[in-house]
Amino acid sequence: DTGVSQNPRHKITKRGQNVTFRCDPISEHNRLYWYRQTLGQGPEFLTYFQNEAQLEKSRLLSDRFSAERPKGSFSTLEIQRTEQGDSAMYLCASSTTGELFFGEGSRLTVL
Amino acid sequence: AQSVAQPEDQVKVAEGNPLTVKCTYSVSGNPYLFWYVQYPNRGLQFLLKYITGDNLVKGSYGFEAEFNKSQTSFHLKKPSALVSDSALYFCAVRDDDYKLSFGAGTTVTVRA
């Protein structure tokens, strides 16, 4: 499968713990995006990379959130000191200059 | 700022009937519009896009969308709906940095 891959698909954690999600984009795609989707809502933009450079971060991305794309390939999204409000589906997408191709998402549940 | 609106939370149709999912947009400059579909607990799948050219855009799974500049709309259509088309549909607009802004989504239910 050469699509966008996200791991883990599901993560249950206790409030205050740190979690990390990984995204492997389609290999030739230089742009990588992170979105967050809560139940009943459309995806909300968090941040994006062009190659290894993080070009924009949304105001939704608090100081507890950090994203990296160290070699311009895979990306990680870390959430520190998780809160119940962080419970959501975290979606990764990649593209060149056309449409975004999304992964299956990583669902986070914070207890 | 670029934005889209989906005025209907839900659309219900009988199988075999036409399906329309509405979307209106607000942009400064040329609109770049997209439709995506999401099945339960899955990611988003690309259906079609309008960048420029013909106002009627054909996409995957028999879907098409009509771009109407005067009404600032980009409605998704399918002439004959299937039960398997039941899903959550999102309209989106792309900005100059190639980011997408999504609408709130429309749940489509096709009854047999």
Side-chain angles (χ1 to χ4, degrees):
Chain A
D1 191 332
T2 57
V4 178
S5 176
Q6 291 189 246
N7 289 288
R9 291 291 313 280
H10 303 276
K11 178 71 175 178
I12 300 174
T13 191
K14 293 182 179 179
R15 187 176 54 188
Q17 298 296 304
N18 298 345
V19 297
T20 299
F21 300 114
R22 176 178 169 128
C23 172
D24 288 273
I26 295 171
S27 59
E28 64 268 26
H29 286 183
N30 60 343
R31 291 174 179 264
L32 186 148
Y33 304 78
W34 286 99
Y35 282 80
R36 181 171 68 187
Q37 185 180 22
T38 53
L39 196 62
Q41 300 297 317
E44 298 172 297
F45 169 77
L46 292 178
T47 187
Y48 90 100
F49 295 82
Q50 182 165 322
N51 300 315
E52 67 276 10
Q54 188 174 17
L55 297 186
E56 186 174 340
K57 294 190 292 185
S58 163
R59 290 171 298 174
L60 295 174
L61 213 65
S62 76
D63 292 343
R64 297 184 296 105
F65 287 70
S66 63
E68 294 182 343
R69 194 182 184 195
K71 296 184 179 180
S73 56
F74 73 92
S75 175
T76 58
L77 176 68
E78 181 182 16
I79 308 173
Q80 296 181 328
R81 305 181 303 282
T82 53
E83 302 173 355
Q84 288 183 327
D86 297 332
S87 296
M89 176 80 88
Y90 291 86
L91 295 166
C92 176
S94 69
S95 77
T96 52
T97 58
E99 61 270 21
L100 272 61
F101 292 85
F102 283 84
E104 297 291 335
S106 293
R107 180 169 295 284
L108 173 64
T109 301
V110 181
L111 302 177
Chain B
Q2 323 273 58
S3 67
V4 292
Q6 295 180 243
E8 299 166 317
D9 292 336
Q10 289 193 11
V11 170
K12 296 182 179 180
V13 299
E15 188 172 36
N17 281 3
L19 170 63
T20 298
V21 187
K22 296 180 180 178
C23 173
T24 59
Y25 65 88
S26 175
V27 303
S28 54
N30 294 322
Y32 299 100
L33 300 163
F34 298 76
W35 276 102
Y36 283 81
V37 62
Q38 186 177 35
Y39 296 97
N41 297 311
R42 304 294 297 275
L44 278 68
Q45 295 178 30
F46 169 76
L47 283 178
L48 50 79
K49 64 183 176 184
Y50 173 82
I51 302 297
T52 186
D54 290 341
N55 290 341
L56 186 64
V57 180
K58 293 190 181 297
S60 305
Y61 313 119
F63 284 93
E64 57 190 28
E66 185 173 7
F67 173 73
N68 188 315
K69 187 173 182 178
S70 63
Q71 297 185 3
T72 62
S73 68
F74 188 56
H75 299 333
L76 181 70
K77 300 181 180 184
K78 187 170 185 180
S80 178
L82 301 172
V83 172
S84 57
D85 293 328
S86 299
L88 184 55
Y89 290 80
F90 291 100
C91 181
V93 60
R94 194 184 78 186
D95 67 16
D96 292 339
D97 291 329
Y98 299 93
K99 303 190 307 293
L100 293 184
S101 296
F102 289 87
T106 299
T107 299
V108 170
T109 302
V110 182
R111 58 185 183 275

